Amino acid sequence: MNALQTTTAEMTAAPQLQAALFYDFVAYIDRGAKTTRTYLTNLHQFWKWLQATGTTKPTRQDIILYRDYLAQSRKPNTVKQYLQSVRQFFSWTAANGFYPDIAANIHAPKVRQDAHKKDALTASDVLTIEKSITAQAEARTSAAASQAKDTAGRIDRATEQGKRLYAMYLLAVTAGLRTVELSRANVKDIERRNGTACIYIYGKGRAEADQKKPIAPQVYDAIENYLASRKDRPTENSPLFVATGNRSGGKRLATTTISTMLKRAMQQAGYDSERLTAHSLRHTAGNNVMELTGENLFITQQYMRHASPTTTEIYLHRDTEKQEAEIAQKLYNRYHGKADSDDSRAQLENILQTMSAQHLQQLAGIAQSMAR
């Protein structure tokens, strides 16, 4: 049966698609609150498109048109997520005899796995931002202290904000925590036993903090220092990172708020780029773990808590851009008759190895006389 016959058969056999089916599907899959919201959001977007186009009996061709519509304004990974929900929905309708599976084998745009979407920082960059966070906190404290109308409480809140940001920054750039994991963490998830500090993480798709992650003692101390400065008197069940405002004080920080705070910290340190975001800190951790372990893919995968080694492989070729820049310079030098600095250095080293000790002493004497 050709594509036209298949489409015609689907239109004839299919009843009108009802919005209630979407809610029945979400109730059927019985997922967590966050996953449920994702499905509803994705399917609601599809339902709005059906209404806008006047489509009541969608066919396979309509799903392809919807995919192409999404691709006009959304990134490939977003299109993939939206289409995944639609595919699962129609798979469910077909299995229950409600509607044909018109979305089967319709592929989303390819998402590149060989390059990371965000840039990473160097070790010196990490330290620069860390110093900037400390300096900003000290500046806020000094500014508050210099104003006669300010109270000790306001000064303390400024200190609390700086310590909070510092603790979140260290967890992201050394332990590789995602912003959602920073948001979901509770005070009880931090512990130190027998000299070893760790944090229990609510990972992707997890219903509880069941992923134990060792952290450096200095990071643990930064967290404890922040907790000691809090005015809401946190208990074990309190959120680890909370707001400090008059109205929202003590409430859990949202993921978007944490992202904004970390992004602003990088900007204040002089690192302002669209490709540098809060997630860049996790990417930086992955890059450095790969380097410190001698390109050990397995250890890096475990440290970054990647479900698949394919995700970890993005760190394997982190120096490609630098290498290509060096090659580009060498090509330019060759085309323009310029000696490559590396080749010149190698030639000089070969010459020095063939010279006697007496000749080398003579060269040293000439160099000293030229320096006078």
Side-chain angles (χ1 to χ4, degrees), residues 270-281:
Y271 299 91
D272 190 5
S273 166
E274 290 184 356
R275 292 185 59 85
L276 284 175
T277 66
H279 192 74
S280 297
L281 301 178

Side-chain angles (χ1 to χ4, degrees), residues 116 176 178 204 211 279 282-283 286 297-298 300-315:
H116 204 272
R178 304 174 177 91
K204 280 187 175 180
Q211 290 184 288
H279 192 74
R282 173 174 165 81
H283 186 42
L297 187 65
F298 175 76
T300 306
Q301 179 188 350
Q302 298 301 306
Y303 192 89
M304 300 305 296
R305 295 168 288 110
H306 289 151
S308 169
T310 303
T311 307
T312 316
E313 286 175 356
I314 60 175
Y315 302 121

Side-chain angles (χ1 to χ4, degrees), residues 221-240:
D221 292 341
I223 297 171
E224 286 294 298
N225 192 21
Y226 156 63
L227 291 175
S229 72
R230 278 176 46 173
K231 306 302 173 297
D232 61 324
R233 298 180 180 179
T235 66
E236 286 191 351
N237 294 318
S238 299
L240 181 58

Side-chain angles (χ1 to χ4, degrees), residues 340-355 360 363:
D340 185 85
S341 59
D342 289 342
D343 293 341
S344 300
R345 189 181 299 109
Q347 293 174 5
L348 179 60
E349 290 177 352
N350 290 333
I351 294 173
L352 291 175
Q353 290 178 358
T354 61
M355 296 180 68
L360 290 175
L363 283 177

